[in-house]
Structure formats: C-alpha cells, structure tokens
Amino acid sequence: MTHPSVYPVTPEALQRTWLDNDAYLAMYQQSVEDPDGFWREHGQRLQWMRPYTQVRDTSFTLGNVHAHWFADGVLNASVNCLDRHLPEHANQVAYFWEGDSPDVQRTMTYRQLYEEVCRLANGMRQLGVGKGDRVTIYLPMIPEAAVAMLACARIGAVHSVVFAGFSPDALGSRIEDCGSKLVITADQGLRGARTTPLKDNTDLALGHLGKANPVEHVIVVKHVGQNIDEHAGRDIWYHDLLASQPGDCEPEPMNAEDPLFILYTSGSTGKPKGVLHTTGGYMVWAAMTHQYVFDYHPGDVYWCSADVGWVTGHSYIVYGPLANAATSVMFEGIPTYPSIKRIAQIIDKYRVNILYTAPTAIRALMAHGTAAVDGMDLSSLKVLGSVGEPINPEAWNWYHEQVGKSRCPIVDTWWQTETGGILITPLPGATALKPGSATRPFFSVRPAIVDNEGKMLDGACEGNLVLLGSWPGQMRTLFGDHERFEQTYFSTYPGMYFTGDGARRDEDGYYWLTGRVDDVLNVSGHRLGTAEIESCLVAHEAIAEAAVVGYPHDIKGQGIYVFVAPRVGVEPSEELTKAVREWVRRDISAIATPDLIQWTPGLPKTRSGKIMRRILRKIAANEHDSLGDITTLADPSVVEHLIEHRLNA
Ligand code: WTA
C-alpha cells in the first residue's frame, strides 16, 4: 500500500487548535524579528514573585557564551506547578499513576501533590538541605519521583535525577561530580515484574566513593516492600520523614537564572556531562511548548510514556504539564507487560487524548503486526507525539493508522537534553505533516545547516544542524565546567550552537533529522557515548583495545557493535564474550549492553594511531563496498580480517 507523502491539517485538528498556520507564521516571525517583545509577553504565562524587567541577554561568541533570560525576575517553579492551580484545580487529578501491574493504580490531585511536596520540602529543610545544594534522585516511575523534583524546586535545591536503570558506578560518579548532599531513592524498582535493587545500588555507589562521598542523608521510599540495610544516622524512610511535617511550606524565592536542575547526558568524549538548566526560561519553554506542540486544552488527559530519568520526563511529565495544570498519566512499567496490549489498555482505561512516546516503542509493537491494538478502543486519542530518534516512515505510518486510526496528527518532536524542550516540531492544527520530518522550528528557534567547513547552506540541502541564536529553554552551562560547555557546543562552528545531529532541509523548509554525526549512539532513544562504553571495555582484564560503533537495528534504531582486541595470551571464547557483555551491563546499565562483540587481532588505525571509526561503522552496517580510502591505514589487512569475521545481527 502506498502512503501519501504529505498529510494536510485535518478539520478536527484545526477546529481544536490554539494556533492555525497563519497564527504560527505570524508568531514565528515576531519571535525572530522582535524576540524581546515576544518573550516579554510570553514570559507572563508564569507567576512571578517579582516581575522581570530585563528579557534577554545572550551570546554565542566563543569565550563569552552566555544566556540570561528574564534575569531580574524572581519566581519558584513549584509554585508555578502547584500553588497557583489550587484556587481552581485543587481537586483535579494531576497524575493518574498506573503501576507495573494493571491492578495497581493511584491518583493524585493537585491538592494532594501540593501537600506531599510541601511535606517532603519541609523534611529536606530539616535535614539541612537548602538553596543551591544538590540532591540526587534515583527513583523508579512512581509519583514520589515528581514529588521529589518539585520539593527540591520548592526549597531551591538543584536536583540531579539519575535514571533508575543505571548501575551503582554510574550513579556514584554522578553523585560525586555534582557533590550531592542528599539522595532520594526507593527500596526497589519494578518494571515488567522484574525488580531493581535501588537502595542496595545506592549503598554500593556511596561505598565505592569512600572518602569522596559527599552524601549526608539517604531518603528511602518504601515501594516494593523489600528489607533494606539501614545505615543509622544516614538513612531515613520517606514516610517517617513526612509523617511529622506540615502540608504547607514557604517556597524559596529563586532568581530566574538560579539553577533548577542538572541532568547528566552522554557526549562524544569523556564522562557524562552535567547539563544545567535554570528556572525562569526553562519553565516558560517547558510550559509553552507543552501547550502548543500537543495542543493541550483544559480537561485533556495527556500521557508521556518516557521516564523521569531522561529530559523528556523532566519537561513533559513534570514541569510542562504541571505548569499548565494538566492531567497526566504516569506509568511505572513497560509497553509489553503483561501483554503487548498494555499501551492500548492504558489509553482506554484513562481515556487518554494525547500520547507522547518513542519510535522504539512503536517499532516494538509493530513487530507483532496489529496485535497491540486489535479489538482495543483508542477513540479517545486526538494527538500523537514522537521523540528520541528519527521516526522511520514505516513506523510513522503504523502509528498513524493503527494507533491514531488515521485521525490524529503526529508531532515528531526534535530536541535534546541541552535544549530543555522541543525545538523543531509540527503543531497539530498548523502544520501539514510529512512522515519522517520534524518539520519546522518553534518560536525563536533559528536552525541552519552548515557543511563540514561551517559554511551555511541555502535552500534545500543536507549537512550539520546548528542553531543560530538563544531561546529561553537552552542549557546555561555544564555543571562546574563552563569551558567544556563552550568547547563542546560552540567551538565546532564558532558563533553557532552545534547540535551533533545531521539534517536535511527540503524545498518547503521542512527539517529531516538524519541521526548523530558525532560519536554518540542512540539506542532505543537513549543516548550513549561510544567513549563511555570503550573505557568500560578496556578496563576488563581480557581486553587490550576496543572500538564501539552503532549499526542499524530494526527495533532499537541503533544497536551496539563492539570490536575488541584481546590482551596477549587471551583466547577469545563464547564464555568470555558473555562475560564482557555482562561487564558492560553491570558497569553502565542494561541499555549499554553490547549487541554484537567481534574479537579481532587489531583495529584499523591511521599511521598516527587514530582508530578509523568510519571504516568500523561501514563494516558493522555491512556496507563493505563503500569503505572509502583505506590506504592511509597503518595496516590495511586488518580490514579484510574484520570483514571476513563480521557478525550478523
Ligand atoms: C535524537 C531527547 C530525530 C537526536 C529529547 C538528538 C531525534 C538526541 C528526535 C537527543 C527526533 C531526539 N528526530 N532525532 N524527533 N528527538 N532525537 O538528549 O539525535 O536524550 O540529538 O534528548 O536524540 O537525545 P536526548
């Protein structure tokens, strides 16, 4: 069956929308021609304790990169998410929480959420945590995760959420890097009926840090009910701490540029980077994009299936929806448990109107034909969203037809941890859709495409995606390392923010993201640095050298292909391969587990000793015919050996 290449805005979407195409175009134009006037107006969507008079002071010039938005304004993010909704929305549901098992659920109204946040905030203050202190949150997808984030925001503490799938070492290095005083965790996590020992992992992480451990207290949510090793004086149960606290708490007045959170993400080199976001601009961006991109209207039920451990969870499960007084579904489990129909069941159960999920989830369902949706009632859906990686047209069409029943626009949203919120995206009632394209920029976003020399390309073209100016939601720095921030994002193409992504622009000015052009992998929508995995591999006693590349994978988008050279005297075996796989899984996380491990006597290197990843990528992708020039290699025969022993997925 052939599919159209363009889907015009539907009459239903147009009828419902906040913005039609003319409105989008007019607002976009104003947002780039007069950003000060534009944001002076739209910053007012928040409640300020002291209104801003300054709007924008930004520079992308190397050596002086900064972004200050609403700089003299004072506000509190938790007040914007909670207090200001109480007069009208106290009894409205903020979260329908759906547990891992379909029989377990909870609802939390805005009043309940407010009170619980206040109790935890008071408890944290009692433990000596205050403005500017860092708090690591290592929680599963339970309401307490949102409560913990908001409680930090309430007292001005800076949260660093670490995905609950990360290993003790990954957790420990993130705790150490930002010097957290407090960790908030749970006894265990639960996903697809499998448990993760979060508290044990925390103990291990802090134990490994030894003298470098900055943590004074660990708050533990009793979730699964497992016994824990209690460290007297350090550990405290969440329910015990909250029991004696009042349900009101004075919010900390925060400057717009005071930090709200740090979120670690993988880059092309070195250890994960602590991306820092501040309060005012981030909140404006999260709220405004959530409203317009998903065309959220009061009364809608909205479900973002991401994890709060990633930026999507920060902006589109917590801050954006709550700032808009939305009703959200929060889901603890996985799309395939207890059956492939789980997503459809949840949509039906809560009459979900807006679903925001990832291509990898769609492809996992699609692998079962139409079983995931057969006989299910999905008639409540109005808007569908996609995020995390390019969505291939087959998956787009399946999502559109099988989930959206050809009625619902799909917003393919491109953005990054660094950008704070969505930057390139369709708007449901404004944008004609092309499957596979993230389409057009959101307000004030000025994308451009440059060639490898940094020359800006015009019209329809393909190259590297850069951004020409600031927007309120952008990251401000890397925690504790402004120099690395400038080098990472602003030195490749001076004066521009380099995204690390490749993109094509078509004749209609639509953007098509083509994937990372650096050494960052995107596995099931999760970012992983090849350098991180390599440094873990070479720490194994059997391994002399390692190179990691991505290869096309039907469900995950990219799979992890590992080339390893054994140390002298080591004989590779199936057992050893298994052990290496387990080693990576334990050291980083299950997400980083290699799919394919190929042993090789050597790696292709230039004469100066640089590993030629370009060649390894081609071999992994089975594109041997286009290896390009290999004559610069120190030993070209390595390549033949690699091709001959190439592994098949
Ligand atoms: C990729 C996730 C194509 C991209 C919000 C980016 C996408 C990286 C899309 C950021 C999309 C995200 N189309 N690619 N709609 N959304 N990406 O920091 O490579 O986890 O640079 O943020 O994901 O991943 P991150």
Side-chain angles (χ1 to χ4, degrees), residues 293-294 312 355-363 383-392 395-396 399 409-415 422 424-426 438:
V293 173
F294 302 107
T312 307
L355 172 67
Y356 191 28
T357 190
T360 187
I362 298 162
R363 289 191 298 261
V383 173
L384 303 176
S386 172
V387 62
E389 56 178 310
I391 178 163
N392 49 311
W396 196 101
Y399 196 25
I410 297 178
V411 289
D412 174 3
T413 63
W414 175 84
W415 59 296
I422 295 164
I424 303 182
T425 179

Side-chain angles (χ1 to χ4, degrees), residues 50 62 67 123 137 178 182 197 252 276 300 312 337 464 480 501 528:
R50 188 176 80 211
L62 201 57
I137 299 174
C178 70
L182 174 73
E252 193 72 37
L276 185 114
D300 285 341
T312 307
Y337 175 82
N464 306 300
D501 278 319
L528 290 165

Side-chain angles (χ1 to χ4, degrees), residues 265-266 310-312 356 359 386-391 411-419 424 436 438 499-501 512-516 520 522 525-527:
T265 191
S266 298
W310 312 115
V311 74
T312 307
Y356 191 28
S386 172
V387 62
E389 56 178 310
I391 178 163
V411 289
D412 174 3
T413 63
W414 175 84
W415 59 296
Q416 311 178 301
T417 305
E418 293 88 340
T419 70
I424 303 182
T499 62
D501 278 319
W512 301 70
L513 279 298
T514 53
R516 299 288 303 197
V520 171
N522 192 329
H526 302 315
R527 263 169 83 164

Side-chain angles (χ1 to χ4, degrees), residues 267-312:
S268 49
T269 55
K271 57 187 176 105
K273 307 172 288 194
V275 169
L276 185 114
H277 284 284
T278 56
T279 309
Y282 171 82
M283 286 299 295
V284 170
W285 196 262
M288 189 162 173
T289 48
H290 174 261
Q291 178 187 342
Y292 291 125
V293 173
F294 302 107
D295 202 28
Y296 187 87
H297 291 265
D300 285 341
V301 176
Y302 159 88
W303 178 24
C304 166
S305 74
D307 192 286
V308 287
W310 312 115
V311 74
T312 307

Side-chain angles (χ1 to χ4, degrees), residues 26 101 111 132 154 171 186 226 239 260 280 298 366 483 554 624 629:
S101 152
R111 165 153 308 281
R154 191 146 194 104
L171 171 65
Q226 186 219 19
H239 56 266
L260 179 62
M366 199 174 120
E483 170 68 23
D554 282 350
H624 312 149
D629 185 11

